[in-house]
């Protein structure tokens, strides 16, 4: 692998300096014979989609070739690291590929029969099985386990929790003892208190957050991945739920106040990370839409970029553009902090120390 040399303004600190890329890593020490590929511009750590599904399509599971194309689409949008937030196929063969984004896998969704999208997760016949299956997915994934925290209960006719509080306590304890973190899909209000009390490590979507659960997330330092790009689909979901009018009305209400809810969480001090929920109804490659949506709900441009770049990378165990870090770099002709639309057109994409675009 030929060593590379990049010169530009390094974000987020804004200092103009040189980076040398050797064997997929960054060094600040000059490297003889390095090929200069960037002489000016703005250098940004690769983007992160913290809620993405490589292996799910509009009709459920896809084959591995399609999953590979999904990963290419993310890469070409500047996503060089993603947290694969639950998929029904084994994508381990895509990990470590020099031409594909880094993937942090969360195994398969854990749900109950008829309480999630068909074919996506593992359906547990009895809720008491959850700790056993959490242990299994903790071993199978890359340090994350994904629960379905709430979904429509057809007997209730509305969103309702899937798991008793005592089962959640035990399951999350098992995950933590295994060194794994647990996150949960949650649209509504009622599942959140039990998940937070049990020690959940992250909340996905969070449209049902209240002042009380926001305060509890701040107290426990639990981050939120709001997937604002996916929340755009709530009216369509409601329109298809005519048999369950309470559920449809609830989804429309959650959608109507979503921006205010996520803004309140941000203003209270909840840490937000960018995730599109790509797969199923959301197309891959929409990370910049999510960054712009985070800005819309109150994050500054720099905060919104950080939620999809340096901060998210550190949260997932990776680094910003410092010596010894992974050589995942986006290059822009102008400063994306001045105009988020700049993020849509990188002049170069460097993944694992290789120029891939």
């Amino acid at each position: 692998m030929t060593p590379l040399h990049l010169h530009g303004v390094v974000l987020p600190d804004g200092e103009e300096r040189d980076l040398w890329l050797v064997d997929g890593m960054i060094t600040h020490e000059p490297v003889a014979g390095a090929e200069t590929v960037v002489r000016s511009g703005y250098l940004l750590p690769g983007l992160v989609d913290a809620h993405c599904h490589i292996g799910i399509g509009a009709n459920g599971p896809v084959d591995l070739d399609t999953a590979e194309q999904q990963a290419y689409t993310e890469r070409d949008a500047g996503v060089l690291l993603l947290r694969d937030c639950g998929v029904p196929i084994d994508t381990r063969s895509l990990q470590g590929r020099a031409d594909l984004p880094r993937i942090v896998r969360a195994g398969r969704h854990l749900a109950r029969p008829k309480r999630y999208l068909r074919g996506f997760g593992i359906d547990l016949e009895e809720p008491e099985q959850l700790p056993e299956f959490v242990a299994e997915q903790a071993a199978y994934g890359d340090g994350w386990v994904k629960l379905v925290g709430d979904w429509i209960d057809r007997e209730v006719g509305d969103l309702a929790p899937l798991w008793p509080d005592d089962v959640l306590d035990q399951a999350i304890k098992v995950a933590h003892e295994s060194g794994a973190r647990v996150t949960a899909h949650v649209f509504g209000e009622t599942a959140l208190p039990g998940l937070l009390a049990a020690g959940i490590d992250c909340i996905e979507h969070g449209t049902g957050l209240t002042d009380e659960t926001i305060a509890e997330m701040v107290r426990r330092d639990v981050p939120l991945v709001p997937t604002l790009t996916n929340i755009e689909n709530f009216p369509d979901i409601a329109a298809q739920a005519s048999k369950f009018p309470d559920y449809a009305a609830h989804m429309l209400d959650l959608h109507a106040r979503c921006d205010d809810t996520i803004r309140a969480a941000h203003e209270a001090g909840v840490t937000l990370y960018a995730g599109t929920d790509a797969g199923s109804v959301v197309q891959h490659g929409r990370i910049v839409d999510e960054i712009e949506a985070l800005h819309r709900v109150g994050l500054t441009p720099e905060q919104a970029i950080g939620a999809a770049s340096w901060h998210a990378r550190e949260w997932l165990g990776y680094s910003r553009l410092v010596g010894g870090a992974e050589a995942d770099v986006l290059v822009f002709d102008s400063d994306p902090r001045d105009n988020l639309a700049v993020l849509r057109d990188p002049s170069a994409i460097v993944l694992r120390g290789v120029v891939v675009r």
Side-chain angles (χ1 to χ4, degrees), residues 12 21 39 45 51 56 63 74 79 98 105 115 119 128 176-177 234-235 250 257 259 271 276 294 320 328 337 339:
L21 314 183
R39 290 180 169 79
H51 187 131
I56 292 177
D63 59 35
E74 295 293 344
V79 172
R105 296 163 38 259
R115 296 296 305 278
E128 290 74 19
H176 290 169
E177 289 174 347
F234 276 22
H250 195 178
R257 54 190 171 90
D259 281 11
T271 300
T276 63
L294 289 172
R320 56 183 70 196
D328 298 341
R337 297 173 300 181
N339 180 3

Side-chain angles (χ1 to χ4, degrees), residues 1 8-9 33 47 111 177 180 190-191 205 267-268 335:
M1 182 184 299
V9 176
L47 295 178
E177 289 174 347
T190 55
H205 316 302
E267 291 177 350
D335 192 338

Side-chain angles (χ1 to χ4, degrees), residues 211-228:
D211 290 345
E212 291 75 20
T213 48
I214 287 172
E216 189 66 3
M217 288 184 72
V218 173
R219 188 180 77 81
R220 292 176 175 270
D221 195 23
V222 177
L224 171 67
V225 183
T227 66
L228 294 165

